[in-house]
Amino acid sequence: MENGLWEVLGSKGLLKKHEFIRILVQCLYSLGFKNSASCLEIESNISYKSADYEFLEKQVLSGDWDSCVAVLDRIFDNSKDDTRNTALYLVFKQCLLEYLKRGDVSLALNVLRKQAPMLRMGKEKIHRLACDIVYSKEMESGEVDSCLVQGLRKKLLVELEKLIPLPIVIPERRLEHLVETAVMDQIDTCLYHNSWGAVSLYKDHCCGRDQIPSETVQILMAHKNEVWFVQFSNSGKYLATASSDCTAIIWKVLDDNKVELKHTLESHQNPVSFVSWSPDDTKLLTCGNAEVLKLWDVDTGVLRHTFGNNNTGFTVSSCAWFPDSTRLVCGSSDPERGIVMWDTDGNEIKAWRGTRIPKVVDLAVTPDGESMITVFSDKEIRILNLETKVERVISEEQPITSLSISGDGKFFIVNLSCQEIHLWDLAGEWKQPLKFSGHRQSKYVIRSCFGGLDSSFIASGSEDSQVYIWNLKNAKPLEVLSGHSMTVNCVSWNPKNPRMLASASDDQTIRIWGPGKPNKPEN
Amino acid sequence: MDPRQFEHTVVDDNDIHSIVMSYLLHNCFNETADSLASCTGVKQPAIDRDNLERRKQIIHFILERKALKAVELTEQLAQDLLEKNKDLHFDLLCLHFVDRVCAGNCTEALEFAQTRLAPFGKVPKYVEKLEDVMALLAYEDPEKSPMFHLLSSEYRQQVADNLNRTILEHTNHPSYTPMERIIQQVTVVRQYLTEENGKDAFPPFSLKDSLKG
């Protein structure tokens, strides 16, 4: 090799110069810059194709099978290597095919019986060759012209390239792969990363606060008392809030992300603490700890149904929809009422009652409608597969106040009154949950939610009147958002806009948060 | 089993002659059957002579490595028999292939395989056997290959027996001889008794041992 090509590159001397140049040449070829590629080969005196490979290529394309086999035998030194035997098998197969198509049966049989066994490919491969000459796909086609033969030889080369070891052949698109790996590693450590798409190669990738909601962009004042619940609709175009002023409000999210009031839902006699959007966003359920379950039409704001036949004793603490937007399930804070499944006309479909069903703290249904997760008073989580009736139980050590499922239905989080949020997997493979902390929670029901790109963030309310945001990779908060003046009870991240978050507080307001100013993020 | 217990059972000579006769006719030993008839004076049962003659020829063709001729005759005897017994048809065609390979006529064998045997390769249950048979091509001396049993006369006899039975069944004759049935019966009865009374009470039936007397 020429002087200088044994050199190393990179600040730590980890990269071999001749390898670096070779993958550069490969890259130019794969991008279609043939002239530049061969120019570089000449200037650097490093060619993309190794000498062995060039020789093999010539033999294959000219059908010189004896040389071909000899080269492969030399390249692979271990006859037990299955890659070697597969490569040899492929070459013999092509050779036999060509001889037979020429009508040269005795030559073909000679190759099969005398020459092939000498390469010690293994009995299985020899038997395979015998079968191939009788009924392989290639043998079936009738006449073969030289054009077809060349085509088959080229295909053989492509297959051989996959089998031949380094450094005679290098994996395709090697440079692209190395750069992409580096970029993926950078994205992995980017805690604010919240958008799709290509990233710039000009600097090491690192997102800032401008990627996640971290500044107040709007304050909504319409409730006359503490706001206990907030949730965006599935389409992200509406927002629903519930308050201890006994009303719920439906808000519209405009195109410029401003939020305006659409309907005030008045009918409840007691504070409303929970709402749930139907999967098709046409209906809204409202309920409260000491209040019944009501169904509303989103478009008109009209009350459609009150569940429990106006029996004011049927209080519902939480509810959830099934994917068909016609079946719903609700859990009662009264241990005797249990869990009931209804249809939107008010017919009871199914119920779970009895001693095994204590007070329901919260419940949810997975987006595919297959499982129902229930939090029972006050430390037990039960995951029931509605199809198989198989139930899994997780016992927490501290009281749980709320439950939230991720958008893809694979994970869920629970807020515990010991100031921790626990993340569990629905499939049940984890023995321990992931734990997040930093916020304040001891007296009240505080709710959290998943959010952002691929649900890679969690947001939660807190008793210190701030909103907390975590990246799932880190147990400590990424951002702490100030603005509210009293306990933040609930948060909701817009499922269609990863940069929009809403929070509901005891200070009677709802805050809408948007992208922050692009400062340097705190480490 | 105490042989003295057998003394109380009377076996009719005529019955024995019938059993032997049916065995001979099943296996197409018609000359031997004639001989037995004239020696013992026992009449041969009225059987389909034509059927027997054909079966005899077919079996001989197989044993004489002329499997394709056997197939031809079978088709003449019963047109749809091989269609309804694909497994048997496959075995016969494989046998022809083996015949050609043994005769050293590999080109013809290869052509035959490509046209008549290749279609069976599309059906999963024949693939393994097909691969074994085709692999014979890879050996200059098929006797030295791992599949040498395909060349043996025992294997040939097995296929011939199978074809014989199938023809009998197809032409509404019993496909098993009374002799075979009797031996099968004894074996099965012994098995039941062993299950009921424990292993040492009744050893499994062995024809070899019984013949020793």
Side-chain angles (χ1 to χ4, degrees), chain A residues 135-191:
Chain A
Y135 66 92
S136 69
K137 200 168 42 133
E138 292 83 3
M139 282 307 297
E140 272 177 44
S141 53
E143 283 296 305
V144 278
D145 58 7
S146 59
C147 199
L148 194 65
V149 165
Q150 274 303 107
L152 287 172
R153 287 178 184 177
K154 288 199 179 117
K155 264 201 199 158
L156 171 60
L157 256 183
V158 169
E159 288 305 308
L160 288 175
E161 265 184 76
K162 294 179 190 160
L163 299 165
I164 294 171
L166 306 171
I168 298 168
V169 167
I170 58 178
E172 55 173 13
R173 300 200 138 85
R174 188 65 193 154
L175 184 60
E176 208 175 299
H177 171 82
L178 286 170
V179 172
E180 196 169 55
T181 306
V183 168
M184 276 163 39
D185 280 348
Q186 286 168 11
I187 290 178
D188 243 3
T189 54
C190 175
L191 293 176

Side-chain angles (χ1 to χ4, degrees), chain A residues 100 105-106 108-110 112-114 117 123 126-128 130-131 133-135 139-140, chain B residues 101 106-107 110 113-114 118 121-122 127 130-131 134-140 146-147:
Chain A
L100 285 170
V105 178
S106 48
L109 286 175
N110 196 41
L112 178 62
R113 292 170 171 186
K114 296 217 180 76
K123 269 211 173 54
I126 302 276
H127 287 195
R128 205 70 287 278
C131 289
I133 66 179
V134 172
Y135 66 92
M139 282 307 297
E140 272 177 44
Chain B
V101 168
C106 290
T107 314
L110 182 57
Q114 283 170 335
K122 299 205 171 88
V127 169
L130 189 58
E131 283 180 356
M134 293 302 106
L136 284 170
L137 279 176
Y139 294 88
E140 251 183 309
M147 298 82 59

Side-chain angles (χ1 to χ4, degrees), chain A residues 237-504:
Chain A
K237 297 209 177 81
Y238 293 97
L239 188 65
T241 54
S243 164
S244 61
D245 69 5
C246 308
T247 70
I249 295 179
I250 297 178
W251 311 77
K252 178 139 177 56
V253 178
L254 303 171
D255 290 338
D256 60 355
N257 290 331
K258 280 266 173 292
V259 177
E260 71 178 19
L261 191 146
K262 188 175 153 94
H263 295 300
T264 306
L265 311 177
E266 288 164 321
S267 173
H268 284 287
Q269 309 291 316
N270 291 305
V272 186
S273 61
F274 197 97
V275 304
S276 182
W277 289 92
S278 65
D280 64 3
D281 291 338
T282 59
K283 303 183 261 275
L284 188 74
L285 285 168
T286 57
C287 56
N289 253 332
E291 182 52 44
V292 297
L293 179 67
K294 289 184 188 281
L295 175 71
W296 307 81
D297 181 82
V298 170
D299 208 30
T300 58
V302 166
L303 172 65
R304 285 265 213 95
H305 190 77
T306 301
F307 290 87
N309 297 323
N310 288 319
N311 174 357
T312 51
F314 189 65
T315 54
V316 170
S317 57
S318 58
C319 54
W321 288 88
F322 283 90
D324 59 14
S325 290
T326 50
R327 285 176 306 145
L328 55 119
V329 65
C330 66
S332 179
S333 40
D334 179 348
E336 283 177 32
R337 305 289 178 179
I339 299 170
V340 183
M341 191 194 296
W342 306 89
D343 68 18
T344 47
D345 292 325
N347 303 311
E348 185 179 301
I349 300 172
K350 198 183 161 95
W352 293 264
R353 292 189 182 98
T355 48
R356 279 203 73 236
I357 312 289
K359 171 174 159 180
V360 173
V361 170
D362 205 340
L363 73 79
V365 170
T366 54
D368 59 14
E370 271 182 27
S371 302
M372 181 168 78
I373 310 175
T374 318
V375 176
F376 287 104
S377 181
D378 56 358
K379 298 182 187 142
E380 199 178 83
I381 306 168
R382 281 191 223 162
I383 302 155
L384 173 66
N385 184 313
L386 295 158
E387 204 66 31
T388 65
K389 309 278 190 283
V390 170
E391 194 177 69
R392 181 165 79 94
V393 177
I394 299 173
S395 295
E396 285 282 3
E397 281 161 13
Q398 298 294 331
I400 303 167
T401 63
S402 65
L403 164 72
S404 193
I405 301 188
S406 68
D408 59 8
K410 293 194 183 135
F411 303 98
F412 61 91
I413 41 179
V414 284
N415 275 56
L416 292 97
S417 51
C418 61
Q419 298 180 150
E420 277 180 13
I421 296 175
H422 286 188
L423 171 74
W424 292 91
D425 69 321
L426 203 84
E429 286 161 10
W430 296 0
K431 297 281 182 278
Q432 291 296 320
L434 280 181
K435 297 183 185 179
F436 302 88
S437 59
H439 61 303
R440 292 258 170 282
Q441 174 176 3
S442 49
K443 289 186 274 187
Y444 304 123
V445 170
I446 301 289
R447 297 180 183 275
S448 56
C449 67
F450 285 91
L453 182 74
D454 287 339
S455 298
S456 38
F457 300 95
I458 291 177
S460 175
S462 169
E463 284 167 15
D464 64 7
S465 52
Q466 296 177 109
V467 173
Y468 283 76
I469 297 181
W470 294 259
N471 181 306
L472 290 190
K473 294 176 194 136
N474 233 311
K476 292 280 164 251
L478 181 65
E479 282 284 327
V480 179
L481 312 181
S482 314
H484 281 292
S485 53
M486 291 176 77
T487 298
V488 179
N489 298 304
C490 183
V491 287
S492 178
W493 208 305
N494 190 322
K496 297 293 181 221
N497 182 351
R499 285 184 196 49
M500 188 175 186
L501 181 73
S503 58

Side-chain angles (χ1 to χ4, degrees), chain B residues 109-121:
Chain B
L110 182 57
E111 260 171 42
F112 175 74
Q114 283 170 335
T115 45
R116 301 293 296 281
L117 288 175
F120 285 95

